Amino acid sequence: MHDSMRILVTSEPGSADRDNEDWLYARENLVAVLDGATARTDTGCLHGVTWYARRLGETVVDLARDVSMPLPTALAQAIGRVAEEHRSTCDLEHPGTPSAAIGLVRFHPTSLEYLVLGDVSLVVDQDGQLNVVSDDRVSRTAAAERMAADQHPIGSPSKAIALLAMKHAELAARNVPGGYWIAEADPSVAQHALIGTAPVDDRTRVAVLSDGAARAVTLGLLDWPGAVDLLCSEGPAALIARVRQAESEDPHGTRWRRNKRSDDATAVYVDGFAGGGPVIAI
């Protein structure tokens, strides 16, 4: 345990009338951020995306607490266990079966290890040297359909039709070679995760963001150094507030092209890898 780790967390649903399909854990030298993939089609599942992200998160965290277990192994076993929880009631072969992107970071006395699968972003700032780990394979799929969807204003019938076409094309590329990889019912996808290690010291700053929070950068509101500085000085709520302000100023997505007005947004920020008493703030 790093005695003075400062852990700041915020998670907000994209809108008040929908469940938050993000999930986070940030304690005991382990951080997990899951981003349930939006279901625009039937899923074949009685439980839904929010349930899936939560159960996968809880299960992988329980396994990853064992520091001897590699993170891809923890993820693979967690995917398998959650699949068994609802295999008897749900059609896990359905092309729209619930799925989730995931970012895991496990801290050790002088290093960290990470796993990223799907569009969760990890930023490690070592005294101004940034390493950004972002799995963009999903955004590289269904390119023509994404471009078509971008031509329509958010909330319009034509946008809804274009997004459904995009989703079908995206699902066709899910967990197949040449497409993208994300947690759903097949444990073998864990071998396609982005993994690595990095040193940590008292100058290290770490952030893990779902794509809704990463809009602070992907919409061009901030660059990554600026985003980390804002997380450090004002916390994740301030970063997400910056995103929400931009979304509210452009409700139809004509300035910043995107699929929905507001997305679920989760941000975890960690620093202070030396000194006295862990602090967790929401």
Side-chain angles (χ1 to χ4, degrees), residues 37 52 83 114 120 122 132 136 152 241 259:
Y52 179 76
Y114 66 80
V120 170
L122 164 70
V132 180
D136 66 351
H152 304 285
N259 295 334

Side-chain angles (χ1 to χ4, degrees), residues 6-279:
R6 181 174 66 134
I7 306 173
L8 309 176
V9 305
T10 299
S11 185
E12 291 184 1
S15 61
D17 59 352
R18 293 184 66 252
D19 290 338
N20 189 347
E21 295 174 344
D22 287 359
W23 186 90
L24 74 85
Y25 176 93
R27 284 179 175 80
E28 300 168 12
N29 285 10
L30 181 64
V31 166
V33 170
L34 283 82
D35 181 353
T38 300
R40 302 186 191 279
T41 67
D42 291 338
T43 65
C45 178
L46 300 177
H47 304 96
V49 174
T50 299
W51 175 89
Y52 179 76
R54 176 179 59 83
R55 286 301 301 132
L56 182 62
E58 292 169 346
T59 308
V60 76
V61 162
D62 189 50
L63 290 163
R65 286 195 188 103
D66 177 359
V67 296
S68 69
M69 179 177 288
L71 293 179
T73 303
L75 177 58
Q77 290 191 14
I79 291 171
R81 289 186 185 183
V82 175
E84 289 309 309
E85 286 184 21
H86 66 139
R87 190 178 300 280
S88 64
T89 59
C90 304
D91 177 10
L92 303 190
E93 303 303 316
H94 192 287
T97 193
S99 62
I102 181 169
L104 293 172
V105 185
R106 190 161 57 188
F107 297 101
H108 303 281
T110 60
S111 66
L112 64 80
E113 56 184 311
Y114 66 80
L115 175 152
V116 173
L117 184 69
D119 52 0
V120 170
S121 295
L122 164 70
V123 186
V124 181
D125 178 3
Q126 278 282 17
D127 199 22
Q129 296 295 313
L130 265 67
N131 179 25
V132 180
V133 181
S134 191
D135 184 352
D136 66 351
R137 286 174 289 190
V138 62
S139 64
R140 297 203 304 262
T141 64
E145 290 83 2
R146 290 179 192 280
M147 188 177 299
D150 280 346
Q151 305 310 306
H152 304 285
I154 292 170
S156 67
S158 55
K159 181 79 162 183
I161 293 169
L163 286 174
L164 184 59
M166 186 198 81
K167 188 65 178 184
H168 281 298
E170 192 179 278
L171 288 174
R174 184 175 74 171
N175 295 343
V176 297
Y180 69 100
W181 305 91
I182 195 168
E184 38 103 344
D186 180 1
S188 71
V189 302
Q191 67 187 309
H192 297 284
L194 308 179
I195 59 172
T197 61
V200 298
D201 58 29
D202 58 1
R203 296 165 297 179
T204 305
R205 304 187 296 177
V206 177
V208 187
L209 296 86
S210 68
D211 66 337
R215 282 183 171 185
V217 175
T218 58
L219 296 183
L221 311 175
L222 297 164
D223 58 12
W224 281 116
V228 173
D229 286 345
L230 182 59
L231 287 165
C232 178
S233 62
E234 299 183 44
L239 181 84
I240 294 173
R242 187 78 63 93
V243 173
R244 295 294 186 238
Q245 179 180 355
E247 291 169 338
S248 66
E249 291 173 357
D250 179 38
H252 301 297
T254 53
R255 178 178 179 185
W256 291 296
R257 302 290 183 177
R258 55 197 193 276
N259 295 334
K260 45 191 169 182
R261 176 179 172 179
S262 296
D263 196 5
D264 302 333
T266 298
V268 178
Y269 172 82
V270 185
D271 66 11
F273 294 95
V279 177

